[in-house]
């Protein structure tokens, strides 16, 4: 049995993985594993489980929690690992084979010892990074652990990613480095070393103009958002590119990853590790699945399409107030649609288009936690006030509320007249529009032209226009679905020598399996749909599975008279109630027809059919 901390807390037994449901024993387990092989004080465990305001019976409740955790071990067949009561607290024993965090640190130490062999060091670091399986402690609801421990772990991963990119640049594998760097620079816009690496990789792959454009973008971000100039090394890099200098393997000259220090005793939170690169504090934007928070609106790489929607949104957000409105203006814009359809990207893009109209600031707030549960309106309101607060001083500000679950999350934030709000949600939120007004932009899949434009922007004109028919076939295999297209382009960037025509056959063999990033399992079409199903009411989830695995007539996509019927006619496939179909459409998982009143995206249908097949096989084995 293996404990997995580098993602949602889980138990793994060979290929079988059980993600633990959020509970107090799970918080306790996380706190112990984070300090494995050390005594963790009872006081610290109580703060981790109950927060700073602990109940009077916390000490006794902790003992009960330990008993519940031991029962959990028994339930899941955990053997060879126990929770020991020791003077002052508790301890759990683990090693690299039984705890992924220790395995990661052990691999990083091995990589450091291989600093003279870049290929071996790179292989070892990539092996270490493959242990990270998504959002850290996503199912562990402890503010203390997310405040004190998650940043420390994230920093360890960032140092490893930075070193991997240095090694790739040093080995001349710049195209391979670009994939990680596009993501890293957008997720951590204040981490200047990632920007240096990206600009260098672009320049060394023959994209001088794109490298200089990236430098200008970074410089603008640092000046506009943070009020600082680029670092001397970034400025020197720009000068070298302008002079046409040969940058060679400069990235490889940088030092190896520092092994993580042994964790401090858990009686008090340990200080965060020293950063190895210049990072502008507060500039990092969380990953979509990371812990929620408010921060600057990031720039979307390779944004294409949605021209009409973007122009309409920008016009509405910047329009003068109507006559007699006394400065009041209806400034709520809702962007809705299926998961992965590009709602957040459009909202963030528009936020940058209208930046000059909002001197009070532009703020992005994640409205769901890493486990998909909604944040409370009070929590978000306090965060927004802290982020904008007195600095707004009556000036207009723009708030992007990303991934809203229901209207009650939003209503308390719509009162200040100087605050414009862009809401993104999978839900239709018709009740919000009915009570507060505003405009709705319901997004659907890209057009063929928009899909082709995205490939041009991401892969470069030369590569795409050399095989235009193959490029269009690839976009069709992705169903013109924005999330699928972005995953596809990321994979193609890691294979600069792969012809697009060969990629058509490769992708067509199994689109769902191929539309995933192997080093980042969270970025996959199947994972996206699985998370969407998990957020549904079980009744709706079952209905959607039935629709996806059933015949087209369930959605009115074909005339029933033309379709096969069982021996009892349509009784084999009784109709899905209209209210269920409406709720699924409102959740963005069914689209308006034609044909019929509803339809389902081909990729989602394929995923649902695969899910049903897997479930049926498991049932047959039982």
């Amino acid at each position: 049995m293996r404990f997995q901390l580098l993602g949602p807390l889980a138990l793994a037994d060979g290929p079988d993985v059980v993600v633990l449901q959020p509970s107090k024993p799970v918080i306790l387990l996380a706190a112990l594993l984070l300090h494995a092989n050390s005594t963790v004080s009872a006081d610290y465990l109580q703060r981790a489980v109950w927060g700073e305001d602990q109940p009077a019976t916390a000490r006794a409740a902790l003992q009960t929690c330990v008993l519940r955790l031991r029962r959990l071990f028994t339930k899941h067949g955990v053997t060879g690992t126990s929770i020991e009561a020791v003077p002052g607290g508790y301890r759990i024993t683990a090693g690299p084979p039984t705890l992924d965090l220790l395995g990661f640190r052990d691999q990083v130490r091995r990589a450091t010892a291989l600093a003279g062999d870049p290929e071996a060091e790179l292989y070892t670091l990539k092996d270490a990074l493959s242990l990270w399986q998504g959002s850290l402690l996503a199912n562990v609801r402890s503010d203390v652990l997310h405040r004190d421990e998650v940043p420390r772990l994230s920093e360890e991963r960032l140092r490893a990613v930075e070193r991997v990119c240095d090694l790739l640049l040093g080995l001349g594998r710049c195209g391979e480095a670009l994939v990680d760097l596009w993501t890293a620079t957008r997720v951590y816009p204040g981490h200047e070393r990632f920007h240096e690496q990206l600009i260098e990789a672009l320049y060394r792959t023959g994209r001088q103009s794109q490298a200089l454009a990236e430098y200008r973008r970074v410089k603008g971000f640092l000046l506009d958002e943070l009020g600082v100039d680029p670092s001397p090394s970034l400025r020197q890099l720009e000068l070298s590119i302008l002079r046409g200098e040969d940058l060679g393997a400069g990235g490889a000259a940088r030092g190896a990853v520092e092994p993580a220090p042994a964790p401090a005793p858990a009686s008090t939170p340990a200080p965060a590790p020293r950063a190895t690169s210049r990072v502008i504090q507060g500039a990092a934007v969380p990953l979509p699945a990371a812990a929620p928070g408010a921060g600057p609106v990031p720039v979307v790489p390779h944004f294409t399409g949605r021209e009409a929607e973007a122009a309409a949104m920008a016009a509405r957000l910047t329009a003068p107030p109507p006559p007699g409105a006394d400065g009041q203006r209806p400034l709520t814009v809702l962007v809705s649609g299926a998961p992965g359809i590009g709602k957040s990207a459009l909202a963030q893009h528009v936020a940058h288009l209208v930046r000059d109209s909002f001197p009070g600031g532009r703020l992005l707030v994640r409205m769901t936690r890493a486990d998909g549960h909604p944040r409370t309106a009070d929590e978000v309101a306090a965060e927004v006030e802290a982020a904008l607060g007195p600095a707004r001083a009556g000036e207009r500000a723009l708030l992007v509320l990303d991934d809203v679950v229901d209207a009650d999350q939003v209503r308390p934030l719509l009162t200040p007249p100087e605050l414009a709000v862009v809401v993104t949600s999978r839900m239709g939120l018709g009740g919000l529009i009915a009570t507060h007004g505003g405009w709705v932009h319901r997004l659907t899949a890209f057009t063929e032209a928009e899909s082709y434009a995205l490939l041009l922007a991401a892969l470069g004109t030369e590569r795409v226009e050399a095989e235009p028919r193959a490029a269009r076939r690839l976009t069709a295999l992705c169903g013109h679905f924005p999330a699928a297209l972005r995953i596809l382009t990321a994979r193609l960037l890691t294979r600069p020598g792969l012809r697009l025509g060969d990629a058509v056959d490769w992708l067509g063999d199994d689109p769902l399996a191929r539309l995933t990033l192997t080093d980042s399992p969270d970025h996959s079409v199947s994972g996206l749909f699985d998370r969407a199903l998990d957020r549904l009411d079980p009744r709706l989830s079952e209905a959607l599975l039935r629709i996806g695995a059933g015949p087209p007539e369930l959605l009115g996509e074909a005339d029933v008279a033309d379709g096969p019927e069982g021996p009892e006619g349509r009784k084999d496939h009784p109709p899905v109630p209209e209210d269920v179909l409406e709720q699924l459409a409102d959740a963005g998982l069914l689209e308006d027809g034609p044909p019929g009143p509803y339809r389902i995206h081909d990729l989602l249908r394929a995923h649902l059919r695969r899910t049903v097949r897997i479930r049926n096989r498991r049932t047959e084995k039982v």
Side-chain angles (χ1 to χ4, degrees), residues 18-19 35 42 95 129 195 209 226 284 291 319 322 331 417 462-463 466 468:
V18 176
V19 177
H35 300 276
L129 287 168
H195 290 292
S209 60
L226 306 171
L331 284 176
E462 182 178 352
R463 187 176 182 186

Side-chain angles (χ1 to χ4, degrees), residues 17 48 118 168 201 230 256 281 291 312 371 461-462 464 565 590:
V17 178
L168 289 171
Q281 296 301 318
D371 59 7
T461 303
E462 182 178 352
V464 174
E565 293 185 354
L590 294 181

Side-chain angles (χ1 to χ4, degrees), residues 503-523:
V504 170
D505 297 331
W506 165 76
L507 180 61
D509 284 344
D510 192 347
L512 285 176
R514 302 284 160 76
L515 289 172
T516 183
L517 301 181
T518 54
D519 61 341
S520 183
D522 270 0
H523 291 79

Side-chain angles (χ1 to χ4, degrees), residues 2 4 6 100 104 107 123-134 157 518-521:
R2 180 180 177 86
Q4 294 184 348
L6 302 180
D100 59 357
F104 169 76
Q107 287 290 82
Y123 177 84
T124 306
L125 279 177
K126 283 196 167 186
D127 192 39
L129 287 168
S130 69
L131 296 173
W132 292 71
Q133 298 294 323
R157 180 180 178 276
T518 54
D519 61 341
S520 183

